[in-house]
Amino acid sequence: MAFFRDIRENIKNVVEKDPAARNGLEVLLCYPGIWALILHKPAHFLYRHNLKLLARFISQLARFFTGVEIHPGAVIGRRCLIDHGMGIVIGETTIIGDDCTLYQGVTLGGTGKDSGKRHPTLGNRVMVSSGAKVLGPFKVGNDVKIGSGSVVLKEVPDGCTVVGVPGKVVKRNNISISDMNQIDLPDPVNVDVDYLKNRVARLEKELRSLNAKLTCLNPEIIEEMNRINIDSMEDELDNDIDLEIMRDVKMEGDYENL
């Protein structure tokens, strides 16, 4: 039966991906994410057959015991991994593809009182890291990685990494998310700051070269410009800035001339 096949696949998936999982029996007995998915299946069956009150009762029972709230109307694909699970919320019209991973505190929710499709659709092999929120009736493509604490409010293309509030695409054409890495993600705020520091250093260098003509500047500013070693500062900034990330982010500015 598909029911037992899916349970076996989910348990095997946890054993393969979670280094803390020692064997299938331990996963079955001690992993709340597994039980949240097991209980979702009868709840979803009842929901589709218009027994919605009983379906909601089962989903709330699962929430009480596992800390994972999955609306019985949500559609969840095969081999979904819910790691730890406490605080996860999955809305009614959410659709989750195959081989997705959801970490603690994730919300797949709506943005208002709209009827119809109001929750996100996740493609295959999507990883949503701890505390991330995906809000709205849009599609998150295949092989997408969403960083911890991010708030995603619009569609994400295939193979992207999204971080920040609101979420920004900081990397395209990712490798598969099977590495389960939530740490080594670019920081768009740091990229912005590094870019601005680089531009300031270049402007100060140009002003310094025009020092003789800037008689209207405050003498203290001229003195400060002469004191700073702009060349070494610029070299340091050039070494620190990841130009590849800048071009992927496609922030405003002429990065090709950096």
Side-chain angles (χ1 to χ4, degrees):
M1 292 179 60
F3 176 79
F4 294 105
R5 178 207 66 192
D6 289 346
I7 293 176
R8 285 195 298 270
E9 285 186 345
N10 289 339
I11 293 174
K12 182 180 178 182
N13 191 40
V14 174
V15 172
E16 290 177 352
K17 292 182 178 180
D18 187 353
R22 287 186 286 265
N23 54 66
L25 180 61
E26 179 185 61
V27 170
L28 178 63
L29 295 178
C30 303
Y31 276 61
I34 289 294
W35 281 101
L37 293 171
I38 291 173
L39 292 172
H40 174 68
K41 291 185 177 299
H44 183 63
F45 176 84
L46 293 171
Y47 186 86
R48 287 192 295 108
H49 289 79
N50 211 32
L51 298 172
K52 296 184 178 179
L53 177 60
L54 182 56
R56 287 301 302 271
F57 177 78
I58 294 175
S59 71
Q60 292 302 301
L61 192 66
R63 177 181 181 272
F64 177 80
F65 284 107
T66 67
V68 180
E69 182 171 345
I70 307 176
H71 193 284
V75 177
I76 300 178
R78 297 171 64 178
R79 297 176 298 277
C80 180
L81 171 58
I82 296 179
D83 193 20
H84 295 287
M86 182 62 68
I88 285 179
V89 177
I90 301 175
E92 178 181 14
T93 60
T94 300
I95 300 175
I96 300 175
D98 297 335
D99 301 295
C100 291
T101 302
L102 308 178
Y103 286 93
Q104 175 267 336
V106 164
T107 298
L108 305 178
T111 57
K113 296 183 179 180
D114 296 336
S115 58
K117 183 77 167 86
R118 59 190 188 278
H119 300 98
T121 297
L122 305 188
N124 299 323
R125 300 173 300 279
V126 175
M127 186 180 81
V128 189
S129 301
S130 303
K133 316 299 177 186
V134 185
L135 307 175
F138 52 83
K139 181 148 190 290
V140 175
N142 300 324
D143 301 294
V144 166
K145 183 181 289 187
I146 298 174
S148 299
S150 300
V151 179
V152 183
L153 301 174
K154 59 184 180 181
E155 185 168 335
V156 181
D158 293 348
C160 290
T161 296
V162 179
V163 299
V165 182
K168 294 182 180 180
V169 174
V170 296
K171 188 181 292 185
R172 298 180 185 273
N173 301 319
N174 288 347
I175 60 173
S176 172
I177 57 89
S178 59
D179 59 358
M180 310 294 284
N181 186 353
Q182 302 182 72
I183 304 300
D184 298 323
L185 302 177
D187 186 341
V189 175
N190 283 341
V191 171
D192 277 338
V193 171
D194 285 343
Y195 172 69
L196 292 174
K197 286 164 64 178
N198 186 279
R199 290 295 296 268
V200 169
R202 289 181 182 275
L203 289 172
E204 288 184 347
K205 184 177 181 180
E206 291 181 14
L207 287 173
R208 188 181 182 188
S209 68
L210 299 174
N211 189 358
K213 300 178 181 180
L214 298 176
T215 56
C216 62
L217 281 179
N218 188 310
E220 295 180 359
I221 296 178
I222 299 292
E223 181 181 353
E224 182 68 16
M225 287 167 52
N226 289 329
R227 186 181 63 82
I228 297 175
N229 188 338
I230 299 297
D231 291 329
S232 62
M233 176 182 177
E234 184 182 21
D235 292 339
E236 178 183 347
L237 289 168
D238 285 338
N239 291 331
D240 287 344
I241 295 176
D242 189 335
L243 298 182
E244 181 180 353
I245 293 176
M246 283 186 171
R247 295 188 181 102
D248 286 341
V249 176
K250 291 181 172 56
M251 297 178 300
E252 295 181 0
D254 184 9
Y255 300 111
E256 299 300 327
N257 294 326
L258 288 178

